[in-house]
Amino acid sequence: MKEDSPVFSVQALTLYLKELIEGDTTLQHVNVGGEVSNLTYHGSGHVYFTLKDSEAQLTCVMFRSYALLSPRIAAGERIVVVGDMSIYAPRGNYQLMVRQIRKEGLGDLYQRFLALKDKLQREGLFDETRKRAIPQFPQTIAVITSPTGAAVRDILQTLQRRYGRGRVIVIPAVVQGEQGPSSLIQALAAAPGTGAEVVILARGGGSIEDLWNFNEESVARAIAACPVPVISGIGHETDFTIADFVADFRASTPTAAAERATPDIEAIRATLNEWEKQMQRGLQYFIDFKRQVLDDYAYRLEQALRERLRDSRRKLDVLDAQLRGQDIRSLLQQGYTLTLKEGIIQRSHSGIVPGDRIETIFADGRIASVTEDPAENQTP
Amino acid sequence: MEAKFSLEEKLTQIRSIVDKMQKGMSDYDKQVELFENGARLIQECRQYLDQAEMQVQQLVEGKLRPVDPVK
């Protein structure tokens, strides 16, 4: 220890270092590339993470105001940041105050993608209300893609397998490289003239650079201007291009685009079979239902007839009895007689005394007689 | 050839017939008529589905040229 050296406080030394670092132009506005780890999107809006490579690591902080303007990052991602080196005195840490994040590898392309996406979104080109309905049973389908790639083969096979009808018009286009955009724009402009009711815009998988034509503003605008609904099927499931956002429907692959463009004929056949069964069941049910109603009517009719018959029979019986009772002639013919006294029918012997003159009526005539002692013959 | 045939339209008609048949319980003649119409439409659709053929063309310098059928 040097006896004559001044003694710094921790704070004074730290401040000295801080000034040293912040005064070094090499350490200001510096680009640093590395892999993201220990990533925290803090509630305050600040983002804390560590950039590392195999040999070292660097603590990074991005304040809210910058974080808002930056793409969201994920742990493990390789990125390039721009920032200023500094020291965080309370902890004695040196750290990079990040102002900008770029996704490494994509670099400028990715920045352009984000900028264009943002611009067109603001213009409303991606709005759901702009999306047109895809016809269910298209008679004519235009396919804009490379005439030689795997995409066109996948699409034609899928259309044949699912739908197998109508006209398919392949409009060849350059889907990669400098000629791509103008070729795609031309193809999109030609599609309506072919009578197409829907356009499939497709390209097989490839690197982000390979797919880049579909991130060009001019292509996006040509899709938006196309009077026929456009289905995009570009790259693989994970690829999203500007064309996908503008298209009326974004399918994940060329095959998926062909599927979206057409109904499945086998599914329609199955539906027809099901409807046929439902109609048969409907008619059968109707018949069964009506038969039941008929059976019910028949039963009620029978019951009513029976009731009337019983009723009539009862009435008949009564009448019969009444009639029988009044048919004196038949009684007289069986041997019964009527006894009259002074012309009145006698129902009892009690009204007759010995010596009364009575008249007896037979079926075939009457006789007059005089009674003797009735006591001798009280019961008939 | 069958430009006038609209499968979409027919399918809509059949569906509405199926719905009506499942609801309607009043008139036998009406029910039979629905059934016959539906059966006829289904037959038409099946015929249409059976006879269809896909035609592939390619637009070359503003002209449509036939393309070999898909393998």
Side-chain angles (χ1 to χ4, degrees):
Chain A
M1 187 184 265
K2 290 189 276 179
E3 295 291 335
D4 53 349
S5 296
V7 174
F8 284 98
S9 70
V10 175
Q11 185 190 21
L13 185 68
T14 306
L15 265 175
Y16 178 74
L17 281 169
K18 194 171 155 70
E19 279 170 17
L20 210 60
I21 289 172
E22 289 178 359
D24 186 339
T25 52
T26 310
L27 297 178
Q28 303 307 303
H29 210 79
V30 62
N31 295 313
V32 191
E35 189 188 319
V36 178
S37 69
N38 296 328
L39 173 67
T40 308
Y41 277 93
H42 197 272
S44 63
H46 300 339
V47 185
Y48 301 93
F49 59 99
T50 302
L51 264 192
K52 62 172 190 179
D53 55 28
S54 56
E55 304 301 327
Q57 49 180 286
L58 173 67
T59 303
C60 298
V61 181
M62 188 178 213
F63 287 149
R64 182 172 183 273
S65 52
Y66 294 112
L68 284 175
L69 302 172
S70 292
R72 209 173 164 85
I73 53 172
E77 241 183 336
R78 294 194 59 78
I79 59 171
V80 174
V81 300
V82 183
D84 306 314
M85 282 308 299
S86 179
I87 282 185
Y88 183 52
R91 288 199 161 196
N93 274 356
Y94 68 88
Q95 59 186 24
L96 187 69
M97 310 299 289
V98 179
R99 290 202 260 175
Q100 209 184 338
I101 291 176
R102 281 192 283 120
K103 305 240 176 178
E104 201 183 7
L106 306 179
D108 285 350
L109 279 185
Y110 191 75
Q111 296 302 312
R112 273 168 57 196
F113 171 82
L114 290 178
L116 179 59
K117 187 180 162 212
D118 190 52
K119 177 180 168 187
L120 298 183
Q121 190 154 29
R122 275 173 213 273
E123 270 186 42
L125 246 59
F126 306 161
D127 286 0
E128 281 306 313
T129 50
R130 278 197 77 258
K131 309 283 183 197
R132 290 160 297 188
I134 310 298
Q136 223 184 336
F137 299 96
Q139 301 275 353
T140 305
I141 301 167
V143 180
I144 298 177
T145 190
S146 160
T148 53
V152 71
R153 197 191 59 226
D154 290 350
I155 289 170
L156 290 179
Q157 277 175 355
T158 306
L159 293 178
Q160 178 66 58
R161 170 174 55 79
R162 277 174 65 87
Y163 198 44
R165 68 204 52 253
R167 279 200 314 157
V168 179
I169 292 156
V170 178
I171 305 179
V174 180
V175 293
Q176 190 173 341
E178 276 181 25
Q179 292 180 317
S182 65
S183 173
L184 288 168
I185 291 163
Q186 229 173 11
L188 282 162
T194 64
E197 293 150 53
V198 61
V199 172
I200 297 174
L201 179 64
R203 191 203 186 287
S207 70
I208 184 77
E209 286 85 1
D210 290 342
L211 303 183
W212 199 256
N213 284 163
F214 297 92
N215 285 324
E216 294 290 349
E217 181 170 353
S218 56
V219 174
R221 293 200 182 278
I223 294 169
C226 185
V228 177
V230 176
I231 300 173
S232 68
I234 296 153
H236 298 299
E237 284 82 354
T238 49
D239 298 321
F240 278 88
T241 62
I242 299 292
D244 286 322
F245 295 118
V246 188
D248 295 281
F249 185 87
R250 183 248 171 197
S252 54
T253 62
T255 301
E259 284 170 356
R260 181 60 188 86
T262 50
D264 185 351
I265 289 301
E266 285 315 307
I268 292 175
R269 282 188 204 277
T271 304
L272 285 175
N273 290 346
E274 181 51 34
W275 282 347
E276 192 175 42
K277 272 191 211 130
Q278 281 182 14
M279 276 174 30
Q280 280 162 354
R281 275 201 296 270
L283 192 62
Q284 190 57 50
Y285 184 74
F286 182 86
I287 290 168
D288 290 347
F289 177 78
K290 287 297 172 196
R291 184 166 290 155
Q292 195 188 345
V293 170
L294 211 60
D295 287 352
D296 190 40
Y297 282 167
Y299 175 77
R300 277 154 62 182
L301 201 63
E302 198 182 301
Q303 287 303 104
L305 280 173
R306 268 183 215 282
E307 186 51 44
R308 278 183 68 172
L309 210 61
R310 264 202 296 275
D311 202 37
S312 302
R313 192 161 287 152
R314 222 179 291 126
K315 278 183 182 154
L316 208 61
D317 286 349
V318 171
L319 279 171
D320 189 45
Q322 284 175 351
L323 273 172
R324 268 181 218 284
Q326 283 174 7
D327 190 354
I328 298 163
R329 195 172 300 264
S330 81
L331 286 173
L332 293 179
Q333 271 162 358
Q334 287 171 55
Y336 295 97
T337 57
L338 275 176
T339 303
L340 279 69
K341 180 182 148 186
E342 293 164 2
I344 295 164
I345 293 172
Q346 298 299 301
R347 296 173 193 279
S348 167
H349 63 82
S350 55
I352 298 170
V353 295
D356 272 352
R357 187 184 166 79
I358 57 171
E359 230 180 335
T360 303
I361 297 171
F362 294 88
D364 56 353
R366 54 177 69 190
I367 56 165
S369 46
V370 175
T371 61
E372 291 183 3
D373 185 8
E376 279 177 28
N377 197 11
Q378 273 188 344
T379 48
Chain B
M1 37 178 197
E2 355 146 57
K4 282 281 164 63
F5 190 92
S6 164
L7 186 61
E8 199 167 359
E9 211 172 275
K10 304 271 178 194
L11 291 177
T12 312
Q13 285 172 5
I14 300 170
R15 154 159 278 168
S16 103
I17 284 176
V18 171
D19 285 350
K20 271 185 204 152
M21 283 193 69
Q22 282 174 341
K23 271 185 236 145
M25 274 297 152
S26 54
D27 187 339
Y28 178 75
D29 288 342
K30 183 88 193 158
Q31 195 78 352
V32 170
E33 191 188 312
L34 283 172
F35 180 81
E36 283 171 350
N37 278 341
R40 182 176 47 77
L41 287 169
I42 286 176
Q43 202 47 40
E44 283 175 17
C45 286
R46 285 198 178 125
Q47 269 169 13
Y48 173 76
L49 293 181
D50 286 344
Q51 70 186 231
E53 200 184 313
M54 193 168 96
Q55 192 189 354
V56 182
Q57 295 169 320
Q58 188 164 317
L59 190 68
V60 184
E61 287 159 5
K63 296 215 165 67
L64 288 172
R65 304 233 174 104
V67 170
D68 289 343
V70 208
K71 288 141 284 187

